């Protein structure tokens, strides 16, 4: 009826097809098209049943997220859903790809649903800081019962077609969406099946109406991990209304919750994160359409902490790995850790029971760098020493096949210098994974001076293929994430010299929403590493040094900035540390003062943001949103705060620049002076986001 939604008739069956690439989102045109086509099909006396289906790669993937936060565009979706549900003729949703959010809600307003085998169905709105706003919280519990509905709505993860079939969300699994939908429609007509309106069917709510703990227990299990988030709780309330209230009142409650969330800061931040993640996959300065090199086999050098985790990430995605070590002993150890790790996950039910064997079967452990010869991508994860890296890359240059991408997982070292020892610097780049590498989603892709565009595209594409979030960065000490983190670490340490305690600093940082504070993180990583490196460089840090001299290396010795009970990772404040800090300050003649939580928060966050500004100015990151993606997926920055640069824009750059100047003077630390870019934006009343808009316009 318009250019994106078409109506055809195959004798008595009307077929309504949406064609709005890339994901058939419910834009105004799609909403209008659905309404018009349904109206016409219902009015056509020849039509006995209607199939709703989509062209392209997927069924409707949800509301058009780009429309949120803007004035609403008519027509609304609700009119179309009411028209469909009230239709006297059966309507069948024929699903392929993903039916998500508003997409699944459209399907729930149909009388029947069928789906292809690989289809996924879900209500992921909570991941955008929202709740389903088109009847999903009322119809899904009626379709599958409140327990699974809570799991899908409060948790936000989709289910497979097989699971949907098992729980009555779909009627059948079909081969093709359009043909399968049509065949099913003919069956409905032939068998004169009654119209199934979920609105009117409370049968699956009975158990929870009688015993509400079925619902509350399901909610409790899912909101346990939702610290700081608003949407999961509001979504749970809306599902609760499906149990407690008549359909129309429940719908009203859902609407109120949705409208509140859609204008919230949290949802704004989460929507920003969604688009930032996708933006990060577009490499600045690389022509669009630059083809990735094929990667069928990967070699990883080093089966230590990182090499093992990286190997698992590839095996999880079904990509075969050659894992190379210096000796059988190291290899055995590395393979053993992966095996145990997989078995523990399987025991918890995280992966199927046969997965450990299958995945370990994809990892071949060998000794000797000549074994890289078949790999299309080599990732080096050996010790963090330039000499060792150079030795390895010299060998890679000799043994790797022509055109193989050669990546280093170094945390700090200069990729240009590493590339120089090869005869093929165009193939060399960084792929900086985060620990634990089989869990953390971030991969900083480091572009060196001579890295070829298609080598970069290859690294980005393969990172996405193994379910990582890639962000391209330039060469500098620590790249983006660790370089900013170092600024925070420096301030954290300084705060101890001024009178704050580790537990006070960490509490402010975790209250903000980070998973860990700097001192607990230090204890986890091990304090001896920094101590040794300081000694090598002749640098002192009196409190940290005193801790290490007392044998307090962190979790591994049961004591660090905190104490740990045997077998526990819980950081317990330790009066001995307080004493040690006091003694150190006395020895140095330092005076303690009361440091407020507000000051701690500013000194933890603003110096990092300042470093982010320098990173942008130097072109180490192309977009502020790339920096945010790095913090969201590499360091557990709370998604509802969007990332450090987004957060800075919310706080206001002028305030941040002023406070940095203040602390620079007050604590006699010129490194805290606002970076030129921050200063300029603050003076012009602009945001970091304005830089991205400017770049896009150009
Ligand atoms: N609205 C607008 N644009 C969308 C979109 C949406 N709902 N979903 C995806 N896109 C865009 C992406 O931004 C991307 O654009 P780009 O190419 O310009 O970067 C493009 O579509 C392709 O997306 P992906 O790169 O993510 O493609 P994949 O194939 O990897 O994944 C997907 C497809 C699984 C559908 C994934 O895009 C996705 O999860 N989308 C969001 C789904 C969602 O959250 N739906 C709920 C929306 S809220 C809602 O429906 C409210 C309702 O209850 C009222
Ligand atoms: P690790 O010490 O756990 O593992 C290194 C492994 O490399 C050892 O098993 C060693 O036997 C092996 N190895 C050394 N030389 C080799 C050679 N010539 N050929 C084959 N194998 C060799 O170290 P880890 O922690 O895994 O770090 C590896 C790299 O990853 C370093 O560059 C480090 O900076 C980086 N990194 C580490 C992170 C972490 O949290 N541990 C996070 C991100 C990056």
């Amino acid at each position: 009826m318009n250019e994106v939604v078409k109506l055809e008739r195959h004798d008595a069956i009307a077929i309504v097809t949406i064609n709005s690439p890339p994901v058939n989102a419910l834009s105004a045109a799609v909403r209008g098209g659905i309404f018009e086509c349904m109206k016409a099909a219902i009015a056509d006396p020849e039509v006995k049943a209607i199939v709703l289906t989509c062209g392209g790669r997927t069924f409707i993937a949800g509301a058009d997220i780009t429309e949120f936060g803007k004035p609403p565009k008519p027509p609304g979706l609700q009119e179309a859903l009411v028209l469909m549900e009230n239709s006297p003729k059966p309507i069948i949703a024929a699903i392929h790809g993903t039916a998500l959010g508003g997409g699944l809600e459209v399907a729930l307003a149909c009388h029947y649903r069928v789906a292809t085998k690989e289809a996924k169905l879900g209500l992921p709105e909570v991941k955008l800081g929202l709740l389903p706003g088109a009847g999903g919280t009322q119809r899904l519990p009626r379709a599958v019962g409140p327990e699974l509905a809570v799991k899908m709505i409060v948790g936000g993860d989709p289910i497979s077609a097989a699971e949907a079939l098992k729980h009555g969300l779909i009627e059948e699994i079909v081969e093709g969406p359009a043909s399968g939908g049509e065949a099913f429609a003919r069956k409905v007509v032939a068998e004169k099946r009654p119209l199934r309106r979920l609105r009117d069917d409370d049968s699956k709510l009975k158990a929870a109406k009688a015993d509400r703990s079925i619902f509350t227990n399901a909610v409790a299990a899912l909101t346990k991990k939702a610290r700081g988030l608003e949407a999961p709780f509001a979504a749970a309330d809306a599902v609760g209304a499906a149990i407690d209230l008549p359909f129309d009142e429940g719908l009203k409650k859902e609407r109120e919750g949705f409208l509140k969330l859609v204008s919230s800061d949290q949802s704004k931040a989460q929507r920003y994160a969604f688009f930032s993640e996708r933006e990060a996959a577009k490499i600045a300065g690389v022509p669009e359409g630059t083809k990735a090199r094929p990667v069928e086999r990967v070699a990883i050098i080093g089966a230590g902490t990182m090499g093992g985790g990286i190997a698992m990430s590839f095996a999880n995605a079904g990509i075969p790995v050659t894992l190379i070590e210096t000796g059988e002993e190291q290899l055995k150890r590395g393979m053993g850790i992966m095996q145990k790790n997989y078995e523990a996950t399987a025991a918890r039910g995280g992966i199927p029971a046969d997965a450990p064997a299958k995945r370990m079967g994809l990892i071949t452990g060998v000794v000797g760098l000549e074994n890289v010869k078949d790999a299309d991508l080599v990732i080096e994860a050996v010790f963090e020493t330039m000499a060792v890296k150079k030795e390895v890359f010299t060998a890679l240059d000799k043994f790797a096949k022509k055109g193989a991408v050669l990546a280093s997982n170094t945390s700090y070292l200069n990729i240009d210098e590493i590339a120089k020892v090869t005869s093929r610097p165009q193939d060399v780049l960084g792929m900086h994974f985060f620990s634990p590498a089989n869990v953390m989603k971030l991969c900083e892709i480091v572009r060196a001076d001579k890295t070829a565009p298609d080598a970069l595209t290859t690294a980005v594409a393969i990172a996405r293929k193994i379910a990582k979030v890639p962000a391209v960065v330039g060469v500098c000490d620590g790249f983006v994430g660790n370089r900013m983190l170092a600024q925070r670490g420096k301030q954290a340490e300084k705060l101890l010299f001024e009178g704050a305690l580790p537990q006070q600093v960490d509490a402010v940082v975790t209250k903000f929403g980070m998973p860990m504070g700097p001192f607990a993180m230090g204890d986890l990583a091990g304090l001896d590493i920094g101590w040794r490196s300081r000694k090598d460089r002749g640098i002192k840090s009196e409190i940290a040094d005193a801790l290490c001299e007392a044998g307090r290396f962190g979790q591994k010795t049961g004591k660090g900035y905190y104490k740990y009970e045997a077998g526990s990772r819980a950081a317990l404040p330790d009066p001995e540390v307080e004493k040690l800090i006091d003694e150190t300050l006395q020895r140095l003649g330092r005076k303690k003062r009361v440091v407020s939580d507000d000051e701690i928060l500013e000194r933890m966050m603003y110096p990092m943001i300042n470093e982010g500004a320098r990173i942008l100015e130097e072109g180490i990151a192309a977009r502020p949103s790339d920096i945010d993606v790095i913090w969201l997926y590499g360091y557990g920055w709370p998604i509802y705060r969007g990332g450090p640069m987004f957060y800075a824009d919310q706080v206001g750059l002028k305030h941040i620049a002023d406070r940095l100047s203040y602390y620079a003077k007050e604590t006699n630390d010129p490194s805290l002076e606002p970076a030129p870019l921050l200063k300029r934006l603050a003076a012009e009343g602009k945001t970091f986001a304005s830089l991205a808009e400017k770049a896009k316009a150009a």
Side-chain angles (χ1 to χ4, degrees):
M1 285 284 189
N2 58 23
E3 63 291 357
V4 292
V5 188
K6 295 219 155 36
L7 171 63
E8 299 164 85
R9 187 159 61 75
H10 298 169
D11 50 71
I13 309 296
I15 316 277
V16 177
T17 309
I18 303 168
N19 243 313
S20 182
V23 296
N24 292 312
L26 292 161
S27 62
V30 172
R31 296 194 296 270
I34 295 175
F35 184 84
E36 291 305 325
C37 290
M38 286 294 170
K39 204 166 101 184
I42 292 167
D44 183 344
E46 302 292 319
V47 169
K48 297 278 182 287
I50 305 162
V51 176
L52 175 67
T53 187
C54 288
R57 67 202 227 212
T58 178
F59 192 74
I60 306 166
D64 184 341
I65 307 168
T66 59
E67 282 186 4
F68 292 149
K70 297 180 187 154
K73 269 196 220 162
L77 184 59
Q78 188 56 15
E79 290 100 303
L81 299 189
V82 170
L83 174 80
M84 286 162 65
E85 196 163 46
N86 287 339
S87 157
K89 301 173 182 179
I91 304 181
I92 294 96
I95 295 165
H96 74 296
T98 46
L100 297 177
L104 181 57
E105 291 175 296
V106 169
L108 285 165
C110 297
H111 307 105
Y112 300 99
R113 288 153 293 281
V114 297
T116 56
K117 195 168 82 198
E118 81 297 339
K120 289 207 157 40
L121 300 88
L123 292 175
E125 283 88 343
V126 279
K127 300 199 172 172
L128 297 169
L130 299 169
L131 57 79
T137 64
Q138 305 306 301
R139 289 193 184 92
L140 189 64
R142 287 173 165 83
V144 301
E147 252 181 299
L148 180 59
V150 163
K151 207 169 144 203
M152 291 172 70
I153 293 171
V154 180
D157 289 329
I159 61 171
S160 66
E163 208 177 335
L165 181 67
K166 191 171 125 196
H167 292 278
L169 181 53
I170 60 172
E171 314 292 324
E172 255 181 32
I173 290 185
V174 295
E175 284 289 318
S179 57
E182 189 177 327
F184 185 81
R186 288 188 194 287
K187 205 154 60 181
V188 170
V189 174
E191 293 171 6
K192 297 199 172 63
R193 288 202 200 180
L195 294 178
R196 187 166 176 232
R197 295 193 174 100
L198 287 171
R199 180 188 69 191
D200 300 331
D201 182 358
D202 276 5
S203 56
K204 289 201 174 170
L205 298 178
K206 277 202 184 107
K209 276 181 197 280
D211 174 7
R212 217 168 178 282
S213 70
I214 294 176
F215 163 73
T216 45
N217 290 346
V219 171
L222 278 154
T223 45
K224 223 169 34 197
K225 287 189 223 139
R227 188 170 71 101
L229 291 163
E230 291 159 4
F233 297 93
D237 281 350
V239 179
I243 301 169
D244 302 332
L245 302 174
F247 182 82
D248 285 328
E249 278 178 50
L251 214 53
K252 225 175 102 193
K253 186 109 204 242
E254 174 195 273
R255 193 77 214 144
E256 284 163 15
F258 179 82
L259 289 176
K260 203 165 147 200
L261 289 177
V262 82
S263 58
S264 70
D265 289 343
Q266 289 206 350
S267 176
K268 194 172 155 201
Q270 288 176 256
R271 276 155 18 214
Y272 164 84
F274 175 86
F275 287 115
S276 297
E277 180 185 329
R278 278 146 188 87
E279 195 68 14
K282 295 165 198 154
I283 314 168
V286 168
E288 231 179 280
T290 301
K291 273 224 166 71
R293 304 177 194 174
V295 175
E296 263 149 38
R297 185 155 197 107
V298 176
I300 294 165
I301 323 291
T305 310
M306 293 307 288
I310 299 167
M312 289 171 79
S313 300
F314 280 95
N316 294 348
I319 300 170
V321 176
T322 307
L323 186 59
I324 301 175
E325 259 293 348
T326 44
E328 291 297 339
E329 201 48 46
Q330 291 87 336
L331 203 55
K332 210 175 128 198
R333 191 177 160 271
M335 299 290 277
I337 291 173
M338 288 187 282
Q339 175 86 36
K340 263 209 198 124
N341 210 323
Y342 274 137
E343 278 165 7
T345 313
R348 264 189 279 118
I351 49 173
D354 61 347
K358 266 194 193 153
R359 296 184 192 184
M360 285 307 290
L362 284 169
I363 305 172
T364 314
V366 288
V367 172
L369 288 172
E370 63 281 6
N371 291 298
V372 299
K373 62 184 189 308
D374 296 327
D376 306 298
L377 165 68
V378 183
I379 302 174
E380 163 278 310
V382 303
F383 304 131
E384 183 77 345
T385 318
M386 186 50 100
V388 182
K389 304 273 189 206
K390 283 186 172 169
E391 208 175 283
V392 169
F393 273 79
T394 305
L396 294 185
D397 192 30
K398 188 165 155 205
F399 296 121
K401 74 175 173 194
K402 194 167 163 271
V405 172
L406 309 180
S408 171
N409 181 49
T410 176
S411 312
Y412 293 94
L413 299 173
N414 187 319
I415 307 283
D416 288 319
E417 204 180 324
I418 295 174
K420 267 192 200 134
V421 304
T422 72
S423 63
R424 37 175 136 175
Q426 73 279 3
D427 299 334
V428 179
L429 45 74
M431 283 184 85
H432 181 211
F433 292 85
F434 285 67
S435 180
N438 55 318
V439 177
M440 296 304 288
K441 291 190 76 174
L442 178 66
C443 182
E444 280 184 331
I445 311 282
V446 189
R447 164 197 239 153
D449 243 3
K450 301 221 162 87
T451 310
D454 69 333
L456 274 176
T457 317
T458 308
V460 165
I462 198 76
R464 292 196 86 192
K465 196 158 174 199
I466 59 170
K468 300 294 176 197
V469 179
V472 176
V473 302
V475 172
C476 66
D477 190 37
F479 313 116
V480 170
N482 285 342
R483 177 172 157 182
M484 288 168 71
L485 186 70
Q487 294 301 321
R488 191 184 81 173
K490 193 173 145 192
Q491 291 304 314
E493 225 177 292
K494 266 180 63 180
L495 282 165
L496 298 189
F497 286 93
E498 294 169 41
L501 285 174
Q503 53 268 33
Q504 188 194 358
V505 175
D506 282 357
V508 170
V509 172
T510 49
K511 188 169 164 231
F512 179 81
M514 302 293 296
M516 258 188 189
F519 296 108
M521 207 165 140
D523 276 0
L524 175 66
L527 305 177
D528 51 325
I529 306 166
W531 184 42
R532 235 172 278 130
S533 135
R534 282 196 298 279
K535 279 207 256 186
D536 286 349
R537 291 179 292 155
I539 301 171
K540 273 199 176 132
S541 176
E542 288 85 354
I543 295 172
D545 292 349
L547 283 170
C548 288
E549 276 150 24
R552 305 184 70 116
F553 291 168
Q555 283 193 22
K556 59 182 156 192
T557 55
K559 284 174 176 179
Y561 283 105
Y562 297 92
K563 59 182 174 189
Y564 300 85
E565 273 161 11
S568 164
R569 288 176 175 277
L572 307 171
D574 188 348
E576 268 180 41
V577 173
E578 206 169 322
K579 203 169 133 227
L580 182 145
I581 293 174
D582 276 346
E583 284 167 3
T584 310
L585 296 193
Q586 265 168 24
R587 183 160 51 81
L588 298 173
R590 301 281 184 103
K591 255 222 176 89
K592 278 189 5 176
R593 67 181 169 92
V594 178
V595 185
S596 75
D597 286 359
D598 287 346
E599 172 172 352
I600 291 176
L601 185 64
E602 293 188 333
R603 286 182 59 190
M604 291 293 89
M605 299 302 162
Y606 297 176
M608 284 201 329
I609 292 161
N610 205 23
E611 196 64 24
R614 291 191 193 104
I615 282 167
L616 285 173
E617 210 157 21
E618 292 166 23
I620 297 293
R623 298 168 278 245
S625 59
D626 289 355
I627 298 180
D628 287 333
V629 164
I630 286 167
W631 275 84
L632 286 168
Y633 297 107
Y635 300 85
W637 183 279
I639 189 142
Y640 57 86
R641 291 192 197 273
M645 308 315 270
F646 180 86
Y647 172 72
D649 281 350
Q650 309 304 302
V651 171
L653 300 191
K654 174 153 187 338
H655 174 77
I656 292 177
D658 288 348
R659 296 304 289 163
L660 282 166
S661 296
Y662 168 82
Y663 290 124
K665 281 183 204 77
E666 206 63 18
T667 68
N668 193 21
D669 182 351
S671 78
L672 287 178
E673 283 298 346
L677 174 68
L678 176 60
K679 237 180 173 154
R680 176 167 67 74
L681 291 173
E684 292 170 359
K686 288 194 176 144
T687 57
F688 286 123
S690 70
L691 298 172
E693 283 149 24
K694 205 170 123 201
K696 247 191 188 157

mmCIF file of all heavy atoms in Angstrom, residues 676-690:
data_model
loop_
_atom_site.group_PDB
_atom_site.id
_atom_site.type_symbol
_atom_site.label_atom_id
_atom_site.label_comp_id
_atom_site.label_asym_id
_atom_site.label_seq_id
_atom_site.Cartn_x
_atom_site.Cartn_y
_atom_site.Cartn_z
ATOM 1 N N PRO A 676 43.737 21.011 25.785
ATOM 2 C CA PRO A 676 43.285 22.099 24.902
ATOM 3 C C PRO A 676 41.903 21.844 24.288
ATOM 4 O O PRO A 676 41.073 22.753 24.247
ATOM 5 C CB PRO A 676 44.362 22.138 23.817
ATOM 6 C CG PRO A 676 45.577 21.578 24.475
ATOM 7 C CD PRO A 676 45.107 20.585 25.486
ATOM 8 N N LEU A 677 41.648 20.628 23.842
ATOM 9 C CA LEU A 677 40.343 20.343 23.225
ATOM 10 C C LEU A 677 39.206 20.526 24.229
ATOM 11 O O LEU A 677 38.177 21.122 23.924
ATOM 12 C CB LEU A 677 40.318 18.913 22.658
ATOM 13 C CG LEU A 677 38.963 18.465 22.111
ATOM 14 C CD1 LEU A 677 38.587 19.231 20.850
ATOM 15 C CD2 LEU A 677 38.946 16.960 21.823
ATOM 16 N N LEU A 678 39.412 20.026 25.434
ATOM 17 C CA LEU A 678 38.381 20.158 26.470
ATOM 18 C C LEU A 678 38.136 21.638 26.773
ATOM 19 O O LEU A 678 36.998 22.093 26.880
ATOM 20 C CB LEU A 678 38.814 19.396 27.728
ATOM 21 C CG LEU A 678 37.886 19.521 28.936
ATOM 22 C CD1 LEU A 678 36.491 19.007 28.632
ATOM 23 C CD2 LEU A 678 38.463 18.765 30.142
ATOM 24 N N LYS A 679 39.230 22.363 26.871
ATOM 25 C CA LYS A 679 39.146 23.798 27.166
ATOM 26 C C LYS A 679 38.346 24.515 26.087
ATOM 27 O O LYS A 679 37.474 25.331 26.373
ATOM 28 C CB LYS A 679 40.566 24.368 27.181
ATOM 29 C CG LYS A 679 40.937 25.038 28.465
ATOM 30 C CD LYS A 679 42.346 25.527 28.299
ATOM 31 C CE LYS A 679 42.784 26.359 29.454
ATOM 32 N NZ LYS A 679 44.238 26.301 29.601
ATOM 33 N N ARG A 680 38.670 24.186 24.826
ATOM 34 C CA ARG A 680 38.012 24.870 23.707
ATOM 35 C C ARG A 680 36.518 24.554 23.688
ATOM 36 O O ARG A 680 35.683 25.448 23.602
ATOM 37 C CB ARG A 680 38.667 24.424 22.392
ATOM 38 C CG ARG A 680 37.995 25.018 21.153
ATOM 39 C CD ARG A 680 38.817 24.846 19.894
ATOM 40 N NE ARG A 680 38.972 23.466 19.451
ATOM 41 C CZ ARG A 680 38.016 22.739 18.878
ATOM 42 N NH1 ARG A 680 36.804 23.246 18.717
ATOM 43 N NH2 ARG A 680 38.243 21.496 18.496
ATOM 44 N N LEU A 681 36.175 23.253 23.792
ATOM 45 C CA LEU A 681 34.758 22.871 23.762
ATOM 46 C C LEU A 681 34.014 23.525 24.925
ATOM 47 O O LEU A 681 32.887 24.008 24.776
ATOM 48 C CB LEU A 681 34.608 21.353 23.822
ATOM 49 C CG LEU A 681 35.075 20.573 22.575
ATOM 50 C CD1 LEU A 681 35.021 19.066 22.851
ATOM 51 C CD2 LEU A 681 34.234 20.909 21.361
ATOM 52 N N ALA A 682 34.661 23.528 26.098
ATOM 53 C CA ALA A 682 34.025 24.122 27.282
ATOM 54 C C ALA A 682 33.756 25.606 27.035
ATOM 55 O O ALA A 682 32.673 26.109 27.323
ATOM 56 C CB ALA A 682 34.910 23.923 28.503
ATOM 57 N N ALA A 683 34.744 26.296 26.467
ATOM 58 C CA ALA A 683 34.602 27.739 26.232
ATOM 59 C C ALA A 683 33.493 28.010 25.215
ATOM 60 O O ALA A 683 32.781 29.016 25.307
ATOM 61 C CB ALA A 683 35.923 28.320 25.748
ATOM 62 N N GLU A 684 33.365 27.107 24.240
ATOM 63 C CA GLU A 684 32.339 27.313 23.193
ATOM 64 C C GLU A 684 30.981 26.768 23.603
ATOM 65 O O GLU A 684 30.026 26.813 22.822
ATOM 66 C CB GLU A 684 32.791 26.625 21.894
ATOM 67 C CG GLU A 684 34.003 27.285 21.254
ATOM 68 C CD GLU A 684 34.590 26.460 20.094
ATOM 69 O OE1 GLU A 684 34.049 25.361 19.800
ATOM 70 O OE2 GLU A 684 35.584 26.904 19.505
ATOM 71 N N GLY A 685 30.893 26.208 24.805
ATOM 72 C CA GLY A 685 29.628 25.635 25.271
ATOM 73 C C GLY A 685 29.223 24.395 24.494
ATOM 74 O O GLY A 685 28.039 24.101 24.350
ATOM 75 N N LYS A 686 30.231 23.671 23.978
ATOM 76 C CA LYS A 686 29.922 22.493 23.146
ATOM 77 C C LYS A 686 30.133 21.189 23.895
ATOM 78 O O LYS A 686 30.650 21.170 25.003
ATOM 79 C CB LYS A 686 30.802 22.524 21.901
ATOM 80 C CG LYS A 686 30.377 23.602 20.930
ATOM 81 C CD LYS A 686 31.039 23.387 19.596
ATOM 82 C CE LYS A 686 30.545 24.411 18.597
ATOM 83 N NZ LYS A 686 31.600 24.822 17.684
ATOM 84 N N THR A 687 29.750 20.098 23.227
ATOM 85 C CA THR A 687 29.893 18.760 23.802
ATOM 86 C C THR A 687 30.894 17.941 22.985
ATOM 87 O O THR A 687 31.234 18.325 21.861
ATOM 88 C CB THR A 687 28.547 18.009 23.738
ATOM 89 O OG1 THR A 687 28.130 17.968 22.365
ATOM 90 C CG2 THR A 687 27.484 18.687 24.574
ATOM 91 N N PHE A 688 31.329 16.807 23.541
ATOM 92 C CA PHE A 688 32.141 15.874 22.744
ATOM 93 C C PHE A 688 31.317 15.352 21.568
ATOM 94 O O PHE A 688 31.826 15.144 20.481
ATOM 95 C CB PHE A 688 32.624 14.713 23.604
ATOM 96 C CG PHE A 688 33.736 15.088 24.550
ATOM 97 C CD1 PHE A 688 33.606 14.894 25.922
ATOM 98 C CD2 PHE A 688 34.926 15.627 24.072
ATOM 99 C CE1 PHE A 688 34.631 15.239 26.798
ATOM 100 C CE2 PHE A 688 35.962 15.974 24.939
ATOM 101 C CZ PHE A 688 35.809 15.779 26.307
ATOM 102 N N ALA A 689 30.017 15.143 21.837
ATOM 103 C CA ALA A 689 29.161 14.609 20.764
ATOM 104 C C ALA A 689 29.149 15.536 19.551
ATOM 105 O O ALA A 689 29.002 15.057 18.418
ATOM 106 C CB ALA A 689 27.744 14.405 21.291
ATOM 107 N N SER A 690 29.345 16.838 19.782
ATOM 108 C CA SER A 690 29.325 17.769 18.644
ATOM 109 C C SER A 690 30.468 17.462 17.675
ATOM 110 O O SER A 690 30.370 17.741 16.483
ATOM 111 C CB SER A 690 29.419 19.217 19.137
ATOM 112 O OG SER A 690 30.709 19.473 19.661
#
